[in-house]
Amino acid sequence: MFVFQTFDGIVKVIMAKLRDYKRVVGISELFFLAGRGLKRQGIKYTTLAAALGAGLIITNIIGRRVFGYDIPVSNVKALLIPTIIAILTFGVGNTLTGLSRLFSSQKILMADANAMNLLEDRKKARMTTHLETLWERVFKYEAQLLHGNCSEEETEKIRKQRHELRQKVRSWPGKLKDHFGIYEDNLDEFVSHVAWFRPFCVRLEASREGFVVSAGHSLRNPLPQKLERSLSGCDLSLLEDWYDGAYFTANDCKLKEQFAANRTIRGIRRQVGIPWAAQVKESMLGCPNPLWHSLTMKKMGMYVGGLIDRMNRRYVRNNEPTYFDAQDFLWKEAEADRLILRRFPENGPEVMRDLQESRKKMIRSIFSPRRQEAHNQIYRMFGRDFINALELRLKYDVEFAAGLLDYDPQGDLRQLREIMSCPVYSLGKTEAQVQRAKISLKTVDAFLKNYLPVVWQRPLELRAARIGFYLNRFKIQKWIHKNSGKATGIFNDNIIRAEKRYSQRICLLRQHYELCRIQLFAYVEMVDELGEYVR
């Protein structure tokens, strides 16, 4: 009986996975999968052929110089099989990938060329919310280290100035306010717009309000990155880079690219240690998108391209300009929907019903009719970005791992598991890293209080010392127990002196981690909205 129950459970799991793949795999995707797999095999066989070739050359050299005669090895025969297989797999793989593009390229191109690539604007539309989140979970802690507890003074100053501006605008002549479209219901919006005209100051602000103003000014104005950092006092390059990838497109893979190649993030990875297997994989394959990311984005592009063509054919007359683009199906905005009613006065409600049903059907057919399964698919697309960032942060950010911030790894994982409706990451593995961080923090803090008490008056240096000890830089964990004098010298001459580098790295790592969370939450919100799932 137990065997049959086990077999039945395995069958159910397999059938569930097949249903999942069925939503995103058609003929085009089958060719894509086969081509992708063959090309990866081609890389392996090419590597094998190169290794065999190098081995044969070395063998012959050793044979001649050491033994004085050629070792009887048939070079051609040994190399022939992997070389032929490599050529065939690459050739057939590229052919199948080309066939996949042949089936899908026209619709995907139509979607991309008709505002789908401009869905990066949907990310930017939530810029204020993103900045407020980054302040609460990243930059607030930097400000506290730099300025202490003076955020209330700055906040009060900003509010007072905005109140004065609001009163002055209210006193403007009515014709002037009408000319600029300023009314009582949008007065606060106008005041905020003026506040964003210039940064509040040229350093990291002490308050959330000041940070949002200065960072918002930097992001809204196209400036060189170094000038942005100078004007706002903080580095928002990772956020700006993430904005460059449009939602629901293959280009929305910026966080994966940051983890693989951003110099600062890469430097952190080297410091904590990049596994040998990961180095080989990245060297051979680069950083390809996860399979579910590739399949889903390809399917979305094809589906949206088809909808653009269908809706314009059905509702737009031949002598009129086309109207529908990708954003009509992927960006639900009340004001944009009202434009449709004005554009189609005769059959506006019918057009809106068709549009809404098309959105809903598209999301439910690609992601799932069930909300929980849709969330699972989102996690398959972007979950690896979050796990990479989490594991790296647990190994580097001792304050986060030890729970010194207003949030902790376990809480983040519980929240994400609840929202994604699926297992996210092992709490056991997390707890082990947390305990290691707490022990490290307790040890280094005790040493610093006894031998370097001045560091406690310099918060940035204290954090650098904690991170350096956590990473065991210059074997400091050994010397802290064996030779306090040598350990003190290492802290002063090597670790604390590198405080600026530690500060830069911790700030960008925290920002990258937070963007990985924001991305998951954003897709959940969009898919729930477009798919009209019942909670």
Side-chain angles (χ1 to χ4, degrees):
M1 180 65 70
F2 175 75
V3 173
F4 286 113
Q5 288 178 344
T6 304
F7 178 75
D8 185 55
I10 293 172
V11 169
K12 287 181 179 179
V13 170
I14 293 173
M15 293 303 294
K17 287 189 176 295
L18 288 175
R19 284 196 302 271
D20 290 344
Y21 276 108
K22 185 181 178 182
R23 294 195 301 269
V24 293
V25 176
I27 295 176
S28 172
E29 288 75 25
L30 284 174
F31 282 130
F32 169 76
L33 288 172
R36 170 172 153 154
L38 284 173
K39 285 197 290 184
R40 288 191 173 186
Q41 292 300 318
I43 293 173
K44 293 179 182 178
Y45 283 112
T46 302
T47 306
L48 176 61
L52 283 174
L56 290 171
I57 292 170
I58 293 170
T59 300
N60 281 333
I61 291 172
I62 292 173
R64 290 192 191 100
R65 295 187 178 181
V66 178
F67 301 105
Y69 60 88
D70 291 343
I71 295 177
V73 178
S74 176
N75 297 354
V76 175
K77 289 182 179 179
L79 287 171
L80 193 59
I81 294 176
T83 302
I84 290 174
I85 294 176
I87 293 171
L88 286 174
T89 51
F90 265 124
V92 176
N94 282 319
T95 301
L96 291 174
T97 305
L99 286 172
S100 171
R101 285 196 292 268
L102 185 65
F103 280 105
S104 61
S105 60
Q106 185 176 0
K107 289 182 178 180
I108 293 175
L109 182 61
M110 178 178 286
D112 287 343
N114 289 275
M116 193 157 181
N117 276 334
L118 299 179
L119 277 169
E120 63 188 58
D121 290 338
R122 181 162 188 180
K123 286 184 178 178
K124 296 173 184 176
R126 301 295 302 274
M127 183 187 296
T128 300
T129 302
H130 296 156
L131 290 176
E132 288 174 346
T133 301
L134 288 175
W135 168 261
E136 288 298 328
R137 293 177 59 95
V138 179
F139 292 103
K140 175 178 71 174
Y141 302 102
E142 301 302 307
Q144 289 173 352
L145 297 181
L146 288 168
H147 311 303
N149 296 318
C150 59
S151 62
E152 291 184 5
E153 297 175 12
E154 185 175 287
T155 300
E156 185 59 31
K157 181 180 179 182
I158 292 172
R159 289 176 178 171
K160 183 179 179 181
Q161 290 173 339
R162 290 193 179 187
H163 176 73
E164 291 178 5
L165 177 59
R166 195 177 291 108
Q167 295 304 111
K168 288 183 182 297
V169 173
R170 280 200 178 100
S171 68
W172 287 0
K175 288 185 178 180
L176 181 63
K177 289 191 286 187
D178 290 342
H179 175 77
F180 288 104
I182 304 170
Y183 307 103
E184 190 62 34
D185 60 350
N186 66 5
L187 181 57
D188 288 339
E189 183 182 350
F190 175 77
V191 170
S192 296
H193 178 75
V194 173
W196 286 38
F197 175 66
R198 292 294 292 171
F200 183 71
C201 60
V202 291
R203 56 168 173 75
L204 180 62
E205 289 73 9
S207 67
R208 178 177 65 87
E209 289 79 2
F211 169 77
V212 171
V213 167
S214 296
H217 167 81
S218 299
L219 292 173
R220 287 171 180 259
N221 291 278
L223 299 169
Q225 289 298 311
K226 289 184 176 63
L227 184 55
E228 280 189 10
R229 288 196 292 270
S230 175
L231 288 173
S232 64
C234 57
D235 187 348
L236 293 165
S237 58
L238 298 185
L239 173 63
E240 197 162 4
D241 177 60
W242 179 62
Y243 281 156
D244 195 42
Y247 283 135
F248 296 112
T249 67
N251 195 39
D252 197 8
C253 57
K254 298 299 179 180
L255 299 179
K256 173 181 62 64
E257 293 173 358
Q258 289 175 14
F259 184 80
N262 177 271
R263 286 181 61 84
T264 302
I265 302 296
R266 186 81 180 181
I268 297 171
R269 292 178 64 199
R270 287 198 190 99
Q271 204 160 68
V272 302
I274 303 176
W276 179 83
Q279 293 185 50
V280 172
K281 183 179 178 181
E282 290 177 10
S283 298
M284 293 175 61
L285 302 176
C287 51
N289 289 326
L291 179 61
W292 277 95
H293 182 283
S294 299
L295 292 174
T296 303
M297 297 311 192
K298 189 179 181 70
K299 197 74 172 181
M300 288 292 294
M302 292 175 62
Y303 205 116
V304 171
L307 286 177
I308 293 171
D309 184 58
R310 180 179 71 81
M311 293 291 284
N312 279 298
R313 286 176 181 272
R314 177 174 293 183
Y315 296 110
V316 180
R317 297 187 180 94
N318 291 332
N319 60 349
E320 294 179 341
T322 59
Y323 183 82
F324 296 98
D325 60 31
Q327 294 189 1
D328 290 308
F329 308 101
L330 296 171
W331 193 343
K332 195 172 182 180
E333 179 67 37
E335 192 61 35
D337 289 348
R338 282 193 286 270
L339 289 176
I340 293 175
L341 297 176
R342 292 204 294 268
R343 170 63 178 79
F344 301 96
E346 298 177 358
N347 58 346
E350 177 192 346
V351 175
M352 276 305 306
R353 281 194 299 272
D354 194 353
L355 176 63
Q356 290 167 351
E357 283 301 314
S358 297
R359 289 171 181 161
K360 179 179 176 180
K361 183 179 178 182
M362 173 181 64
I363 294 298
R364 293 192 174 207
S365 65
I366 294 176
F367 283 88
S368 177
R370 289 172 285 277
R371 182 170 177 260
Q372 180 177 342
E373 291 180 2
H375 291 186
N376 291 351
Q377 185 163 325
I378 292 169
Y379 190 73
R380 290 176 184 143
M381 294 164 64
F382 298 106
R384 175 43 56 185
D385 294 333
F386 172 76
I387 294 304
N388 287 339
L390 173 66
E391 290 181 339
L392 187 61
R393 193 172 178 189
L394 283 171
K395 293 175 183 176
Y396 190 88
D397 189 352
V398 63
E399 294 179 338
F400 168 69
L404 294 190
L405 309 180
D406 294 337
Y407 56 94
D408 55 50
Q410 299 97 320
D412 283 357
L413 286 172
R414 282 192 292 269
Q415 181 192 24
L416 194 59
R417 183 175 56 190
E418 182 179 343
I419 292 173
M420 304 310 298
S421 306
C422 65
V424 175
Y425 190 72
S426 168
L427 285 175
K429 288 174 65 176
T430 306
E431 186 61 33
Q433 198 70 38
V434 166
Q435 292 305 317
R436 174 177 168 265
K438 288 180 177 179
I439 293 170
S440 173
L441 202 65
K442 182 178 179 180
T443 304
V444 70
D445 282 0
F447 180 87
L448 294 173
K449 284 179 181 177
N450 289 329
Y451 297 98
L452 282 170
V454 68
V455 172
W456 285 84
Q457 308 302 318
R458 302 167 185 165
L460 291 171
E461 293 183 0
L462 173 61
R463 182 175 65 183
R466 286 169 165 173
I467 296 172
F469 181 80
Y470 188 52
L471 298 173
N472 196 24
R473 295 290 290 160
F474 309 100
K475 302 190 185 302
I476 186 66
Q477 293 180 5
K478 178 182 75 172
W479 294 113
I480 207 171
H481 299 293
K482 284 190 173 184
N483 189 327
S484 59
K486 186 173 180 64
T488 302
I490 291 173
F491 273 121
N492 281 324
D493 299 336
N494 301 105
I495 296 176
I496 293 174
R497 185 172 290 181
E499 174 270 310
K500 289 185 178 179
R501 169 169 282 197
Y502 283 116
S503 294
Q504 180 207 35
R505 288 184 170 183
I506 201 72
C507 200
L508 285 177
L509 176 58
R510 288 175 177 179
Q511 186 180 154
H512 174 74
Y513 170 84
E514 201 55 42
L515 290 174
C516 292
R517 294 179 72 252
I518 289 172
Q519 179 163 259
L520 285 167
F521 296 154
Y523 268 90
V524 166
E525 182 182 349
M526 289 186 296
V527 166
D528 281 358
E529 179 185 58
L530 295 170
E532 299 180 13
Y533 295 101
V534 178
R535 294 176 182 272

